[in-house]
Amino acid sequence: MTDDFDDDLTFTPFEVAPSRLTIDLGALADNWRMLKKASGKARAGAAVKGDGYGLGIEAVVPALYDAGCRDMFVATPDEGMLARQFAPEARIFVLAGVWPGVENQFFSHDLVPVLVSEEQIACWTNAVAFGDERPCALMVDTGMNRLGLSVEEALALADDPTRPASFAPVLLLSHLACASDPSHPLNRKQLETFQTLATAYEGVESSLANSPGIYLGPEYHFDVTRPGIAIYGGEAVDGVRNPAQPVVTAESRILQIHAAKAGEPVSYGGTHVLTRESRLAIVSTGYADGYHRALSGSGVPLRGTGQPGGYGFVAGHRVPVAGRITMDLTIFDVTDVPEAEIRAGDYIELFGANIALDDAARAAGTIGYELLTSLGNRYQRAYIGS
Ligand SMILES: *Cc1c(COP(=O)(O)O)cnc(C)c1O
């Protein structure tokens, strides 16, 4: 008896995980190479902020580094210091910029601050010791009203003879607000403004395009591109077939399958009432795992719009979420899956090869970016293809 029990313990943690992610680093590297090709003459960098779009800086950065990426963009100094461990020779740009007290983190890990204001420029140039060569970058706001110097400030600074010698920008950046909609007039307006800036900063490399920006055409490429979401398998351009390979598969274990009768309610609030004899799979994922409550089949404001909720995929069938998603558990209606093909212990795909990340995101009223970066820490992770 005890011996049998021990034999059962020979499973890997992944095989028995309540929820698990398979992250294909080969597909990730292929996606980056595709974006590099699409970037034409420009060098392709990579946005690895948001902990590598939720997939883990410690896995994503070495995979991209091995593929040849040498310009990485993180959000915060902490992310930069972590990324540095896996990308010894890369330039690591910190998009939040610098503020008093964190300068040493930049110096000790050779991080490049993307300076966003006169205040940040003063902070940086004061901290850089006279004669030291410490590169920085400059973010200019060309129409998004997010981070950055105003266009006027940036142009004045470009030919300001009194600017400190320790101000040594190596990259001029701006960010597109509407690139995922190629017909939006703001794209061209931002492009033209950025062209003026790039001319004023002659000799400094420039960078404008995120993933969808790359597909707006060669004019948008400048010297360095900054793709993010498409590397991770997400959709870049609205309404265009996604050319990226899926990178992440999220699965969760069926804990129990039970029968229920027509007329019975399902989950909190009893908002879903069964209309037929049903079989329900109770699955070990919930909003604490980033399986958003908005994916519920009923009983959340988003469903008032008449849109269906989320779907899982099991034994070759798409199965709908039934009723409200709870913190740790989600109920799927598996009535249409033949009884012999499904049992407790099987895994349901939440998104991945069969349920596109962006379709799952849309069902939650959000975008792939948010679904990826909100994956909880209860997932067992397997990295393949590296
Ligand atoms: C997030 C981000 C990117 C990458 O954008 P994607 O849409 O994910 O390709 C590029 N540049 C900046 C400044 C960003 O904040």
Side-chain angles (χ1 to χ4, degrees):
M1 176 77 194
T2 21
D3 283 346
D4 284 355
F5 189 70
D6 281 343
D7 282 347
D8 285 348
L9 291 177
T10 57
F11 293 109
T12 65
F14 187 79
E15 286 172 317
V16 294
S19 291
R20 61 193 193 186
L21 298 177
T22 305
I23 297 168
D24 186 343
L25 297 174
L28 176 110
D30 283 349
N31 288 341
W32 183 75
R33 281 186 281 263
M34 171 193 79
L35 291 153
K36 176 176 144 73
K37 200 154 166 239
S39 299
K41 293 197 188 74
R43 231 164 43 243
V48 298
K49 62 191 187 181
D51 193 27
Y53 286 54
L55 306 189
I57 276 182
E58 68 288 352
V60 160
V61 168
L64 293 171
Y65 191 75
D66 287 348
C69 180
R70 290 294 178 272
D71 295 284
M72 312 251 187
F73 298 85
V74 297
T76 62
D78 275 351
E79 287 189 338
M81 291 191 287
L82 180 59
R84 174 56 75 211
Q85 294 179 32
F86 307 100
E89 304 278 311
R91 288 198 304 185
I92 298 175
F93 296 93
V94 177
L95 292 165
V98 71
W99 52 89
V102 297
E103 302 94 331
N104 276 329
Q105 300 176 5
F106 286 80
F107 297 153
S108 61
H109 291 76
D110 196 16
L111 307 176
V112 185
V114 179
L115 304 173
V116 304
S117 62
E118 309 260 16
E119 204 180 349
Q120 287 203 352
I121 293 171
C123 169
W124 183 247
T125 52
N126 290 336
V128 175
F130 183 77
D132 253 17
E133 289 211 1
R134 293 282 184 188
C136 63
L138 215 52
M139 174 65 82
V140 186
D141 178 33
T142 55
M144 185 168 179
N145 272 309
R146 205 174 64 166
L147 277 182
L149 290 167
S150 71
V151 175
E152 296 70 34
E153 286 172 324
L155 288 175
L157 187 67
D159 39 39
D160 178 358
T162 67
R163 74 186 203 188
S166 53
F167 177 67
V170 294
L171 192 64
L172 181 74
L173 294 84
S174 190
H175 194 50
L176 294 164
C178 303
S180 63
D181 174 4
S183 67
H184 202 292
L186 188 53
N187 294 324
R188 179 138 294 268
K189 200 159 164 276
Q190 287 194 273
L191 172 67
E192 285 165 10
T193 307
F194 194 63
Q195 282 165 336
T196 307
L197 287 159
T199 307
Y201 280 85
E202 212 204 313
V204 177
E205 288 193 324
S206 49
S207 172
L208 179 64
N210 55 353
S211 307
I214 291 171
Y215 292 100
L216 290 176
E219 284 177 299
Y220 287 81
H221 294 168
F222 294 88
D223 298 300
V224 181
T225 59
R226 308 189 305 271
I229 192 67
I231 299 175
Y232 307 94
E235 230 171 70
V237 184
D238 297 344
V240 171
R241 199 190 70 82
N242 183 357
Q245 298 179 44
V247 171
V248 194
T249 301
E251 297 171 299
S252 198
R253 192 178 178 91
I254 299 173
L255 300 175
Q256 181 191 13
I257 297 179
H258 63 75
K261 294 194 179 64
E264 290 181 358
V266 179
S267 195
Y268 285 127
T271 58
H272 180 73
V273 177
L274 298 171
T275 56
R276 57 177 179 174
E277 286 276 299
S278 304
R279 277 179 304 116
L280 303 173
I282 321 303
V283 170
S284 184
T285 193
Y287 56 77
D289 301 291
Y291 200 61
H292 293 211
R293 188 168 175 274
L295 284 159
S296 295
S298 61
V300 294
L302 192 57
R303 296 287 82 83
T305 64
Q307 301 251 28
Y311 281 84
F313 189 86
V314 62
H317 297 263
R318 272 164 61 90
V319 293
V321 174
R324 281 187 184 145
I325 289 168
T326 71
M327 184 187 290
D328 314 303
L329 297 168
T330 296
I331 301 152
F332 289 89
D333 186 331
V334 297
T335 313
D336 293 331
V337 183
E339 218 169 323
E341 291 178 24
I342 182 173
R343 57 188 177 125
D346 289 349
Y347 284 86
I348 279 195
E349 177 186 311
L350 305 174
F351 60 84
N354 301 292
I355 306 278
L357 168 69
D358 289 279
D359 288 342
R362 265 187 288 275
T366 184
I367 53 178
Y369 301 70
E370 192 182 26
L371 213 53
L372 288 180
T373 53
S374 54
L375 291 169
N377 53 20
R378 296 197 295 207
Y379 282 97
Q380 188 74 39
R381 289 161 180 241
Y383 293 96
I384 62 168
S386 61

